[in-house]
């Protein structure tokens, strides 16, 4: 059974940093692209970024709203995905989901972890 | 950047009725990379349709997708009580990746 479990969310002050993790199981993690998607309270879904697999040189892409502040990384030996968030703003407050990326869209999602940016 | 606009914002229907949800793109989207998701309160999104018209694993056949170019449609043939939720379309072929529409809320009339 495919499982994605996010962790690391919490309350952080504006300008602060936070690192989210996503533990994957039930599939060959190293074969897959992985995405981060967020959802502000009461709002819609916003793609944050992607990391490709080793075969595609682990290249990353980011939404304009987070580029230069957020960094996606992965450790295939630990079946884990990470999101390093720096220079956080109040508008980054959201539930952050990790999701598996395929040619069929995002077919599996974690349950999400809440990040609150507030003083 | 491709912008996806969903309509209507809210759709009020009764169980047993047919639901038609629209997703319009600001420029042509490859049909291979258009998906639909369902999200219920407090839950992660669930993939329903990919490649504009292919049902994901385990999705009932009352859900169908169609369209090409800039106009796509999600149809639910006969609404079940569990179908009342928010629905999002997504394009995942053009940069920036994984653009989502703003969502359509399907509520019980």
């Amino acid at each position: 059974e495919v499982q994605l479990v996010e962790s690391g969310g919490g309350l952080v002050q504006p300008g602060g940093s936070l690192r989210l993790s996503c533990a994957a199981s039930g599939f060959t993690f190293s074969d897959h692209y992985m995405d981060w998607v967020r959802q502000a309270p009461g709002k819609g879904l916003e793609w944050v970024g992607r990391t490709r697999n080793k075969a595609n040189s682990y290249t990353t892409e980011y939404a304009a709203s987070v580029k230069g502040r957020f960094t996606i990384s992965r450790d295939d030996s630990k079946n884990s995905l990470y999101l390093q968030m720096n220079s956080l703003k109040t508008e980054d407050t959201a539930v952050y989901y990790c999701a598996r990326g395929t040619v069929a869209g995002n077919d599996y999602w974690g349950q999400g972890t809440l990040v609150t940016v507030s003083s | 950047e491709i912008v996806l606009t969903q309509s209507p914002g809210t759709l009020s229907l009764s169980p047993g009725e047919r639901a038609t949800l629209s997703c319009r793109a600001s420029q042509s989207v490859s049909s291979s990379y258009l998906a639909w998701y369902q999200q219920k309160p407090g839950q992660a999104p669930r993939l329903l349709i990919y490649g504009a018209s292919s049902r994901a694993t385990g999705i009932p056949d009352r859900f169908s997708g169609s369209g090409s170019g800039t106009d796509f449609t999600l149809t639910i043939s006969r609404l079940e009580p569990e179908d009342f939720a928010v629905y999002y379309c997504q394009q995942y072929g053009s940069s920036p990746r994984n653009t989502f529409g703003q969502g359509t809320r399907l509520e019980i009339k």
Side-chain angles (χ1 to χ4, degrees):
Chain A
E1 178 193 5
V2 172
Q3 281 199 316
L4 298 169
V5 179
E6 301 94 338
S7 60
L11 175 64
V12 61
Q13 291 188 337
S17 297
L18 206 59
R19 189 196 197 205
L20 306 183
S21 300
C22 171
S25 61
F27 66 102
T28 305
F29 180 75
S30 58
D31 285 348
H32 286 271
Y33 295 9
M34 295 295 297
D35 292 325
W36 286 99
V37 177
R38 68 184 180 183
Q39 187 169 36
K43 303 297 184 183
L45 301 171
E46 180 188 16
W47 175 76
V48 172
R50 158 171 289 187
T51 175
R52 294 183 176 83
N53 55 12
K54 181 178 181 180
N56 289 278
S57 304
Y58 297 125
T59 54
T60 53
E61 291 185 61
Y62 300 92
S65 58
V66 306
K67 195 170 185 178
R69 300 187 299 122
F70 289 12
T71 302
I72 296 173
S73 61
R74 62 192 293 165
D75 184 338
D76 289 351
S77 68
K78 296 182 178 179
N79 291 339
S80 292
L81 174 72
Y82 305 102
L83 179 64
Q84 177 67 44
M85 303 184 293
N86 298 330
S87 303
L88 282 161
K89 307 175 181 180
T90 54
E91 53 264 40
D92 295 319
T93 293
V95 173
Y96 285 74
Y97 297 100
C98 64
R100 191 173 81 167
T102 74
V103 293
N106 295 111
D107 59 351
Y108 288 95
W109 297 63
Q111 85 290 348
T113 187
L114 176 63
V115 172
T116 303
V117 184
S118 175
S119 54
Chain B
E1 174 182 339
I2 295 178
V3 177
L4 300 179
T5 302
Q6 293 185 239
S7 61
T10 301
L11 185 58
S12 299
L13 294 170
S14 301
E17 291 192 293
R18 180 184 187 91
T20 303
L21 287 67
S22 173
C23 176
R24 178 162 290 179
S26 59
Q27 54 188 281
S28 185
V29 172
S30 168
S31 296
S32 299
Y33 302 113
L34 192 288
W36 289 92
Y37 298 83
Q38 176 193 68
Q39 188 179 34
K40 297 180 180 179
Q43 296 184 16
R46 173 194 182 195
L47 177 66
L48 298 175
I49 300 288
Y50 65 93
S53 60
S54 297
R55 274 186 301 275
T57 303
I59 302 303
D61 60 8
R62 64 180 182 273
F63 290 91
S64 63
S66 63
S68 64
T70 60
D71 290 295
F72 298 89
T73 300
L74 174 69
T75 301
I76 310 171
S77 58
R78 286 181 57 85
L79 286 166
E80 298 286 343
E82 63 266 27
D83 298 337
F84 292 91
V86 180
Y87 292 83
Y88 295 94
C89 60
Q90 174 204 43
Q91 71 83 21
Y92 51 98
S94 299
S95 184
R97 308 292 174 181
N98 293 10
T99 314
F100 292 94
Q102 83 280 15
T104 289
R105 180 178 305 277
L106 178 56
E107 64 176 27
I108 299 177
K109 187 173 182 179

